[in-house]
Amino acid sequence: MGPKLYCCPESGNCYKVRLLASLLDISLEKVELDFFHGAHKTPEFLAINPKGELPALVDGDILLTDSSAVLVYLAGTHPDPGSSKTPSNYWSAEAVEQAQIVDWLAFTASYISGSLSKARAFKAFNWPPNTSEESIKEAKARGVKSLKVLETKLEKSDWLALGRPTVADIAIYVYVALAPMGDISLEPFAAVKAWLERVKALPGYIPLTGLDQPF
Amino acid sequence: MGPKLYCCPESGNCYKVRLLASLLDISLEKVELDFFHGAHKTPEFLAINPKGELPALVDGDILLTDSSAVLVYLAGTHPDPGSSKTPSNYWSAEAVEQAQIVDWLAFTASYISGSLSKARAFKAFNWPPNTSEESIKEAKARGVKSLKVLETKLEKSDWLALGRPTVADIAIYVYVALAPMGDISLEPFAAVKAWLERVKALPGYIPLTGLDQPF
């Protein structure tokens, strides 16, 4: 039995995994949960993932509960299409490159999730419903700071971690692309916008519903 | 010229790096910055690290701006003391194990930093000075949730990511040990407390000022 991915269609974090699986031509056994009715908070799911979050990947004794780790797992254990070499170039066999990728995976968690992702979830889904105005204001301010950090990097290089696309780009792409859904404009960030287009042009790219038409 | 580490003595994130360097017997060229007088926000330092945060590691063209990435870099490029095998057992040469470690590094960024770390910085250093009561209350609630997730894991295994200590344990250890400085009691978390003692018993362990005597 292969790895089982617990996910939901609305989540950008789940989309990251589906996107990488498509880029690497990997078939996953998916279990879709109804996020807005709390299917990720049931005792049954909390017994699988005590964080009560999606996505989660289970492969025998292995449990991964963060999308970045799932990306490393998939890219680390599969080759690129047409190649027999593992890991895929979306990850690396070299420790220095692995550290450079982890640096941007950490940026996803410490910057993007609490800012662009949070602003979008509230604006688009009123989620979580009791979010304060102050909290949204802080999230938007940190979102703009995040975009400035990305712009500084992407003015000098085509991809975030290395001279090629990696799981770092896949992890950060979606909530940047969705920033306008949280009322954060991408217009001042030309290098970021050009990078979004480079991601969209990757062979095997699949869109997320709402990505091109923010609501 | 070897890698240069920008750090400050008060930061738990900087301590993680010093701790791992001690465990692996690595000498680092350190540049200590005066955090509380904003030495990490000067134009000179922002030109090095646009995030304006510590620690940061610079090695030629390579810039790492998150402590987790610095840990992977050091453990990935050095052997354990007495061994000639690289990477150290604090990291791994296996992609599946790397993903399991990254899962807990992501937990550090998405759970620990905004909760235990934030509550401690405010209580111990009044930092940042304009933090709202609501924000501290949220941080403490998420801190308790973080400890529950850790307790669930550590009731079943001695170490977080694998059957041995890894950079995941080093990344998460410090702000858990410092939780009482942020008025978050560790008393209800027996498995977490036993794990803290296991980390302290690692050969080469060094303490952080204030770690054993919270103020």
Side-chain angles (χ1 to χ4, degrees), chain A residues 9 61 93 130 142 150 162 164 208:
Chain A
D61 285 347
N130 58 351
R142 194 158 171 89
L150 291 172
L162 301 172
R164 63 177 192 267
L208 171 66

Side-chain angles (χ1 to χ4, degrees), chain A residues 50-51 53 62-66 69 72-73 76-77 91 95-96 98-100 102-103 106 109 111 132 134 145 149 152, chain B residues 50-51 53 62-66 69 72-73 76-77 91 95-96 98-100 102-103 106 109 111 132 134 145 149 152:
Chain A
K51 284 155 79 178
E53 294 176 350
I62 296 166
L63 166 68
L64 301 175
T65 62
D66 188 281
V72 170
Y73 179 88
T77 56
W91 182 235
V96 173
Q98 290 162 358
Q100 290 173 282
V102 167
D103 204 46
Y111 274 74
S132 71
E134 185 197 343
K145 179 174 178 184
V149 171
T152 301
Chain B
K51 284 156 79 177
E53 293 176 352
I62 296 166
L63 167 69
L64 301 175
T65 61
D66 188 282
V72 170
Y73 178 89
T77 56
W91 182 235
V96 172
Q98 290 162 358
Q100 289 172 283
V102 166
D103 204 46
Y111 274 75
S132 70
E134 184 196 344
K145 179 174 178 183
V149 172
T152 301

Side-chain angles (χ1 to χ4, degrees), chain B residues 12-213:
Chain B
N13 287 320
C14 293
Y15 164 71
K16 296 172 189 179
V17 177
R18 290 189 283 120
L19 174 55
L20 183 73
S22 177
L23 295 171
L24 295 183
D25 204 10
I26 300 169
S27 296
L28 289 171
E29 185 188 347
K30 276 176 241 166
V31 183
E32 300 261 354
L33 298 187
D34 185 348
F35 181 86
F36 291 109
H37 288 92
H40 56 308
K41 302 292 185 193
T42 61
E44 291 76 14
F45 187 69
L46 288 171
I48 295 168
N49 177 8
K51 284 156 79 177
E53 293 176 352
L54 298 170
L57 182 136
V58 176
D59 194 1
D61 285 347
I62 296 166
L63 167 69
L64 301 175
T65 61
D66 188 282
S67 57
S68 288
V70 177
L71 296 178
V72 170
Y73 178 89
L74 294 179
T77 56
H78 291 81
D80 293 294
S83 164
S84 59
K85 187 174 67 75
T86 298
S88 152
N89 281 324
Y90 281 96
W91 182 235
S92 173
E94 301 299 323
V96 172
E97 291 192 351
Q98 290 162 358
Q100 289 172 283
I101 295 171
V102 166
D103 204 46
W104 288 101
L105 296 180
F107 184 81
T108 316
S110 58
Y111 274 75
I112 306 287
S113 293
S115 65
L116 302 177
S117 166
K118 187 171 175 176
R120 177 246 180 184
F122 184 71
K123 272 280 173 184
F125 302 117
N126 191 31
W127 194 268
N130 58 352
T131 307
S132 70
E133 275 304 309
E134 184 196 344
S135 177
I136 293 299
K137 202 173 140 189
E138 276 175 20
K140 288 175 75 169
R142 193 158 172 89
V144 172
K145 179 174 178 183
S146 304
L147 291 170
K148 285 180 182 167
V149 172
L150 292 172
E151 183 77 5
T152 301
K153 175 69 187 183
L154 292 165
E155 280 171 348
K156 291 176 294 187
S157 59
D158 280 357
W159 304 103
L160 289 172
L162 301 172
R164 62 178 191 266
T166 67
V167 291
D169 300 283
I170 305 307
I172 293 178
Y173 165 73
V174 60
Y175 288 115
V176 173
L178 292 171
M181 286 177 78
D183 272 352
I184 298 168
S185 173
L186 293 172
E187 286 314 308
F189 305 104
V192 168
K193 286 171 67 184
W195 165 76
L196 293 177
E197 294 307 315
R198 282 192 290 277
V199 174
K200 284 186 194 173
L202 291 171
Y205 175 84
I206 50 166
L208 172 67
T209 307
L211 199 61
D212 290 308
Q213 300 213 320

